[in-house]
Amino acid sequence: NAPIGDSRRSLGLALCQAIIHLLPFYMIGYGVIHCFVEGLRTDSLYLMPGVRVSQVLSGCLILLGVLLVGIFAEGRIYRHE
């Protein structure tokens, strides 16, 4: 029998691993929706004509999420044993 603390620790570790692997997909989804919604706004801050600051930041969030998906897929940060 494993002590109670070990089962809680393994459950906590599994939960953290699940959150870490879902985070990039959340970032991509949030970035896409935020970019679309910001395109509908009329009171946006523009970097230059036609380019909104919030859409650029959303694009960066999407790129970061895609990068993290690629890193996790290659196993650079976390490798499940």
Side-chain angles (χ1 to χ4, degrees):
N1 273 337
I4 294 174
D6 288 343
S7 64
R8 285 184 184 165
R9 189 173 300 121
S10 63
L11 179 63
L13 181 61
L15 182 62
C16 286
Q17 290 170 350
I19 290 171
I20 288 170
H21 284 286
L22 288 175
L23 179 65
F25 295 104
Y26 173 81
M27 293 168 69
I28 294 167
Y30 180 83
V32 168
I33 292 170
H34 193 261
C35 189
F36 173 73
V37 169
E38 287 298 322
L40 299 175
R41 291 183 61 170
T42 58
D43 61 342
S44 296
L45 177 64
Y46 286 91
L47 269 170
M48 53 189 169
V51 180
R52 295 179 170 107
V53 172
S54 55
Q55 287 180 319
V56 171
L57 292 175
S58 295
C60 292
L61 190 63
I62 294 167
L63 290 176
L64 181 61
V66 170
L67 178 69
L68 286 175
V69 167
I71 289 172
F72 289 152
E74 289 183 7
R76 288 186 193 169
I77 290 180
Y78 166 76
R79 186 176 302 269
H80 188 345
E81 297 178 13

